[in-house]
Amino acid sequence: MRVFVAGATGVLGRTVLAELFAHGHAVVALARSQDKATLLRSVGAEPIPGDLLAPATFQHALTAIDAVCNLATVVPRPPALPTDWLLNDVVLRQGVAGLLGAARRMNVPYYVQQSSSDLYLPQGDVWLVEDAKTAPQEPLRAFLDAESEVASSGLPFAVLRAGIYYGAGTPLTERLAAGVSKGLLQLSHSGENWLSPTHLFDMAKAIRLCIEQQPKGRIYNVCDDAPLQERVLLASIAEESNARVECSDDAPPDSGWRVSNARLRTELGFVPYYPSALGAIGELRGG
C-alpha cells in the first residue's frame, strides 16, 4: 500500500515508517524543511515539501494514496506552561482540518489519526474502554477537537488513543534514565496512580494494522496489555539499578488512567510487542 504520513520525522513517526517498510508498504511523507526531506529520503520515504497548515503545498501528493496517517503534534516536554501548548493546538485544529479537506478532495480512501488516552476522565482502578467518559484538561482538549473533526469528515477513519509513550527518545524513558543515572527515581504522585504505557513499537504496529484492515469509524485504545501503578514500575527499575525511589511531599492526588486495549486486540488481532513496560526495564533505565 502507498501511505501518506504527516509527522513522519518525529520519534513516533520514524518508528511508524520502519514498521510500514518492514511490511512492504511505500511511504510518502510531508517534509517542512530540506533537512527533514534528507532524513526521510535516507530511510526510504518519498519526501513532499510542504506545510501541514497550508494544504495547497501538498495536496497534489495525495494522488493514488491508499491511506493518510496523521501523527503531527507539537506536544511540549514537561514542565510546560499553558502558552507552550498553543502551537500544538493549531496543529491539531487547523492542521487536521486542512489535511482532511485535502484528503477528501483527492478521494483518499482512508484516514488514521493519532490521539491520546489522557482524554478520559481518570477513574482510578476502573478499566477505561473507548466509550468511557472523556473530560480532558485544557491543554489536551485539542486532541478531542481533532477527533471530532475526523469523525465529521465523511472519510472512513480510525482514531488511535495512545497512553504514555515509552521507548528510545520519549520523555518518560529519558526521565527515568536520568533518574537512574542520579540514583534517584522521583514519583510524580504518591505512586498509587495508574499508568497505561504505550511502547512506540506498539503504536506503530496498531497504525499499520488499521492501514491494512481499514476498520471504519473506529476508536482504539493502544497501550500495554497490563497497565500498572507508578510505584510498581519505579520499584522494578530501582531494583535493577541500585537507585532509590522517593515521593515528593506535595505530590498531587492519585488516580491516573487504567486503559484497556481489548477492542484493538479483538477486532484487529493486535498483539503488542511489549505486553508490559516491565519487559522493557533495561530500555527504561537507560541500558
Side-chain angles (χ1 to χ4, degrees):
M1 299 178 72
R2 186 172 169 83
V3 183
F4 180 90
V5 180
T9 58
V11 172
L12 174 61
R14 296 193 300 273
T15 309
V16 169
L17 262 56
E19 177 78 11
L20 292 174
F21 291 143
H23 289 81
H25 302 296
V27 174
V28 177
L30 191 60
R32 290 184 295 108
S33 68
Q34 186 57 50
D35 287 346
K36 302 286 189 184
T38 300
L39 172 62
L40 291 167
R41 197 175 290 109
S42 72
V43 298
E46 177 186 345
I48 301 298
D51 186 338
L52 185 64
L53 302 180
T57 63
F58 63 81
Q59 179 174 300
H60 65 283
L62 300 183
T63 302
I65 290 293
D66 297 299
V68 164
C69 177
N70 186 17
L71 309 175
T73 62
V74 193
V75 175
R77 293 189 172 232
L81 299 172
T83 52
D84 296 332
W85 288 85
L86 293 178
L87 182 55
N88 189 63
D89 292 350
V90 172
V91 167
L92 286 175
R93 292 187 172 112
Q94 297 179 26
V96 167
L99 182 55
L100 286 166
R104 281 196 305 268
R105 288 188 291 273
M106 301 304 288
N107 298 312
V108 174
Y110 198 68
Y111 183 96
V112 178
Q113 177 68 42
Q114 175 194 197
S115 190
S116 171
S117 65
D118 287 2
L119 299 178
Y120 295 119
L121 177 70
Q123 297 185 52
D125 292 346
V126 176
W127 283 98
L128 299 174
V129 296
E130 287 80 358
D131 58 358
K133 182 177 181 180
T134 56
Q137 296 182 1
E138 186 54 42
L140 297 176
R141 191 170 298 277
F143 281 97
L144 196 58
D145 292 344
E147 289 189 11
S148 297
E149 189 75 33
V150 172
S152 64
S153 69
L155 289 172
F157 73 89
V159 168
L160 299 180
R161 291 175 175 167
I164 183 169
Y165 284 121
Y166 66 106
T170 63
L172 176 61
T173 298
E174 291 179 352
R175 175 172 69 85
L176 293 174
V180 167
S181 70
K182 297 174 183 176
L184 175 63
L185 294 166
Q186 188 78 48
L187 290 165
S188 57
H189 300 259
S190 70
E192 299 302 312
N193 56 300
W194 284 93
L195 302 175
S196 294
T198 304
H199 197 284
L200 293 171
F201 290 176
D202 288 320
M203 186 60 165
K205 182 176 187 178
I207 288 168
R208 174 181 60 80
L209 290 174
C210 284
I211 289 169
E212 292 172 347
Q213 299 183 37
Q214 301 198 352
K216 306 298 190 293
R218 300 301 278 164
I219 296 174
Y220 294 105
N221 295 330
V222 186
C223 59
D224 292 354
D225 291 342
L228 72 174
Q229 290 168 302
E230 187 182 27
R231 61 174 175 79
V232 175
L233 177 61
L234 266 61
S236 298
I237 296 172
E239 184 178 356
E240 296 287 332
S241 312
N242 296 317
R244 70 183 192 278
V245 178
E246 286 188 359
C247 174
S248 60
D249 293 334
D250 58 350
D254 291 310
S255 184
W257 296 269
R258 192 185 192 194
V259 178
S260 168
N261 65 10
R263 175 185 288 181
L264 183 64
R265 293 179 65 91
T266 299
E267 295 188 3
L268 301 189
F270 174 76
V271 178
Y273 294 118
Y274 288 89
S276 169
L278 296 180
I281 294 298
E283 186 174 13
L284 288 168
R285 65 186 179 91

